[in-house]
Amino acid sequence: MVCSEQGCLYLVATPIGNLEDITLRALRILRSVELIAAEDTRTSSRLLAHHGISTAMVALHEHNEQAQSKVLVRKLLSGQSIALISDAGTPAVSDPGSRLTRMAQEAEVKVVPIPGPSALITAFCVSGFESSRFLFYGFLPVTASARRRVLEEFKEFVYPLIFYEAPHRIQDCIADLGEVLGNRKIVIARELTKFHENIVVLTLDEARHWLDADVNHKKGEFVLIVEGAPVRHDIDIKMERIMSVLLETLSVREAVSIALKLTGARKKDLYALALRFHQKNDPV
Ligand code: SAM
């Protein structure tokens, strides 16, 4: 399938702050297509004006994506090429675009990604986390109870967790992250590529103080990267099982003494484990 018979749909990544962060290919595509579908035409007109691009624009946002996609697919089938852009970063990543993409694919229109900035990758590369694996969640739910429920699901997840967050929820979100996940390391990447860019590595406890320390720390756009849970080896899981069974009928001292004979683990570690279980089952 070639783009000359029918149009191509290009998913074009645009800057997440600094207007220079756009590829030569993206600029060429934005100049050459018949139409640009933009999440917010006013926001994108600043980018296009900065680069001297005067291609016609139409709005495609979360409220009109279904209806607008039908119109755009018809244009694609009639031979027009269209570039889809969002307000910032890569379209269809926590942004509109997936529905249009699916409809274009179903109509056998060629869909071409034009890669470039995305806040999650920009933040992850400066996070210092060793892993090349991570889980990108995007925006957490807005209510505290739903947010905590989601975080509970990832409590044992061993790779870094990446979230997007809005400034008016940043404090509550950081508090919930600490409460549910414990005092782990967090990288707060704020206002990436912009004048007030801030990248800090803190513990979740420190992060709460950091937000309170300066009103400006709560402003702007945020990517949050939270360290994964410590890896629990099979041997630790077995030890926990043994201890929990022993504690069903024995005292801490008795359970530790039998676990010592069964496992040969360090007495100090077994005591710590037994007390942890004991406290969990017998909260004061
Ligand atoms: N499609 C975009 C992408 O590829 O990154 C994401 C769009 S999503 C609607 C917007 C969210 O991305 C913001 O609320 C923020 O969490 C994050 N974000 C976007 N630009 C950012 C920036 N310059 N610095 C930090 N976070 C940013």
Side-chain angles (χ1 to χ4, degrees), residues 11-27 30 36 39-40 43-51 53 84-91 93 95 114-120 122 164 191-194 197 221:
L11 266 57
V12 181
T14 57
I16 56 168
N18 189 321
L19 294 185
E20 291 179 3
D21 291 335
I22 186 158
T23 70
L24 296 174
R25 188 173 172 220
L27 292 174
L30 291 174
I36 296 173
E39 185 182 4
D40 182 333
T43 303
S44 295
S45 61
R46 282 195 288 277
L47 172 74
L48 299 186
H50 182 84
H51 292 287
I53 296 170
L84 173 71
I85 58 177
S86 63
D87 284 353
T90 302
V93 175
D95 260 340
I114 308 294
S118 186
L120 81 107
T122 309
Y164 283 165
E191 294 290 85
L192 289 164
T193 77
K194 302 185 200 175
E197 180 180 271
E221 300 193 277

Side-chain angles (χ1 to χ4, degrees), residues 87-108:
D87 284 353
T90 302
V93 175
S94 293
D95 260 340
S98 56
R99 258 183 286 183
L100 172 60
T101 302
R102 234 178 4 253
M103 284 168 72
Q105 286 164 341
E106 280 161 13
E108 299 195 7

Side-chain angles (χ1 to χ4, degrees), residues 15 40 72 123 130 140 151 159 164 174 182 187 195 206 213 215 220 247:
D40 182 333
L72 294 181
E130 264 171 43
L140 282 162
L151 292 176
Y159 301 117
Y164 283 165
I174 296 273
V187 176
F195 187 75
E206 289 166 345
V215 68
L247 283 170

